[in-house]
Amino acid sequence: MGRMANSGNRAPAGPQADKGVTGTSPVTALERLRQFTTVVADTGDFHGLQTFRPQDATTNPSLILKAVQKPEYAGLMHEVQARYPQAPLDELADRLLVAFGQKILDIIPGRVSTEVDARLSFSTDATVARAERLMDYYAQAGIGPDRVLLKIAATWEGIEAARRLERAGIHCNLTLLFGFAQAVACADAGVTLISPFVGRILDWYRAHEGRDFTVEEDPGVLSVRRIYTYYKRFGYPCEVMGASFRSTAQILALAGCDLLTISPALLAELDAQEVPVARKLDPDVARQAQIERLSLDEPAFRFDLNEDAMATEKLAEGIRAFVADARTLDGLLARKV
């Protein structure tokens, strides 16, 4: 199965003068952002998706855990439990993730990202097997591979799993990405999309330097700009999707990024703002950058990642957090209906 192109119903490639806005309605920052970037909703709350009309949606164990603890979503979990009463917990969890994915895909026109269990982050074979099972469940529901991205932690083992999955026509979203070495390895592995975590990078630098940063010196923003420039300069088809935002200022500082996945709270803020939005990332400009192309084998990847204290710490912390929420979700699924 071929990779989805950045065309058709994807985001426009360049600025447009408020196309699609009619009458005298105010043009919000969210609408202006759509001129440059594909807007993605970062949520498991499918009931709220229609409000902001995202192209794609992303989920993770933390978002699903938060959703199933709400009364309006408990029924979906109980439905999965009742339908598969003899299934082991890992199968129940995957079927619940796919059930949420199905509901989301009923609403959005694009793709949903579904997380592979973070407990498998250091096993290539186990990650591949779990990813293939998730895609089997989607296939049973009549959903093809072009509508699903499987989220995998950007460890060396995860990236190698994604390499194998992409060759088999299963598209991947490499997540928990904090360091440039991770981005380079993902591009060389031929993954469909990466999710650099802007806000968590900023969190680390705030804590370690004891100060705040303007948006133009924000380490998370600068990280995504660097990756975007590298990918466009060397013609990598891998899409860049900024994630984990702390403010609308961070989001607007990345206008022009291929995709941005945004929480409902920040989508609402953008939808309430009537401010100009300028393109900050431009593929034509990026292609002129004078930068060096890198090549990382496993030892070089591990060394470069180890040299980046922020990326090393945040990757480990992120995996632990997702694992903790996955275990809590297992506990809920283990209860009798």
Side-chain angles (χ1 to χ4, degrees):
M1 183 70 64
R3 180 183 307 263
M4 291 183 69
N6 288 330
S7 60
N9 62 2
R10 311 301 298 163
Q16 298 179 359
D18 298 337
K19 288 186 178 180
V21 180
T22 60
T24 59
S25 300
V27 182
T28 69
L30 182 58
E31 290 305 313
R32 294 184 188 276
L33 179 65
R34 292 186 204 273
Q35 299 171 26
F36 310 117
T37 292
T38 296
V39 172
V40 179
D42 193 20
T43 182
D45 180 3
F46 52 80
H47 291 313
L49 283 174
Q50 291 172 323
T51 303
F52 303 110
R53 299 179 293 109
Q55 171 69 25
D56 295 351
T58 58
T59 65
N60 62 45
S62 303
L63 294 174
I64 299 300
L65 176 62
K66 182 178 179 181
V68 297
Q69 294 180 89
K70 296 179 179 180
E72 61 265 39
Y73 295 108
L76 188 59
M77 181 174 68
H78 296 158
E79 180 182 323
V80 169
Q81 291 170 308
R83 189 172 180 183
Y84 305 100
Q86 303 304 317
L89 279 177
D90 62 302
E91 180 183 331
L92 278 178
D94 281 355
R95 290 194 180 278
L96 180 62
L97 295 179
V98 171
F100 267 90
Q102 288 177 254
K103 294 291 187 181
I104 289 169
L105 289 173
D106 285 342
I107 298 168
I108 64 170
R111 305 169 293 186
V112 67
S113 287
T114 297
E115 192 103 14
V116 175
D117 193 329
R119 285 169 284 196
L120 308 178
S121 295
F122 300 101
S123 173
T124 295
D125 290 343
T127 296
V128 169
R130 187 65 66 86
E132 290 174 339
R133 187 171 78 178
L134 284 165
M135 290 309 303
D136 284 345
Y137 293 165
Y138 272 113
Q140 291 168 21
I143 296 167
D146 280 345
R147 297 207 69 197
V148 179
L149 292 170
L150 294 185
K151 292 179 74 176
I152 298 169
T155 58
W156 177 261
E157 294 82 2
I159 295 168
E160 286 302 298
R163 186 193 301 275
R164 285 165 50 180
L165 291 164
E166 293 283 356
R167 288 173 178 170
I170 297 174
H171 304 304
C172 300
N173 169 355
L174 271 290
T175 188
L176 294 176
L177 196 145
F178 303 98
F180 192 66
Q182 293 171 289
V184 171
C186 287
D188 288 338
V191 306
T192 296
L193 180 147
I194 63 166
S195 298
F197 276 34
V198 179
R200 297 195 196 186
I201 293 174
L202 175 62
D203 293 345
W204 190 92
Y205 280 97
R206 278 174 168 167
H208 283 75
E209 296 191 14
R211 67 183 183 96
D212 211 341
F213 297 81
T214 68
V215 71
E216 287 301 314
E217 63 179 4
D218 183 319
V221 169
L222 296 179
S223 175
V224 174
R225 289 181 180 178
R226 182 187 182 193
I227 293 167
Y228 177 93
T229 299
Y230 184 84
Y231 280 14
K232 304 311 177 193
R233 170 64 181 85
F234 296 111
Y236 288 109
C238 183
E239 300 170 85
V240 182
M241 180 171 72
S244 172
F245 292 104
R246 298 293 178 256
S247 68
T248 59
Q250 286 183 319
I251 295 166
L252 298 182
L254 292 173
C257 194
D258 298 324
L259 309 94
L260 297 173
T261 183
I262 306 169
S263 69
L266 289 177
L267 284 170
E269 286 188 36
L270 288 168
D271 205 34
Q273 295 176 3
E274 297 171 28
V275 297
V277 177
R279 184 171 200 135
K280 299 294 186 179
L281 292 147
D282 187 307
D284 293 331
V285 173
R287 281 189 280 268
Q288 304 305 313
Q290 299 301 307
I291 54 178
E292 179 184 357
R293 187 168 188 164
L294 303 178
S295 180
L296 300 175
D297 59 10
E298 182 177 354
F301 171 87
R302 293 191 184 281
F303 181 81
D304 284 3
L305 186 61
N306 189 70
E307 288 287 281
D308 188 337
M310 176 277 297
T312 300
E313 292 174 22
K314 297 306 288 186
L315 173 60
E317 178 187 279
I319 291 172
R320 286 195 299 269
F322 281 167
V323 166
D325 286 338
R327 287 171 175 154
T328 302
L329 187 60
D330 284 351
L332 293 177
L333 285 166
R335 296 176 185 172
K336 297 293 183 182
V337 178

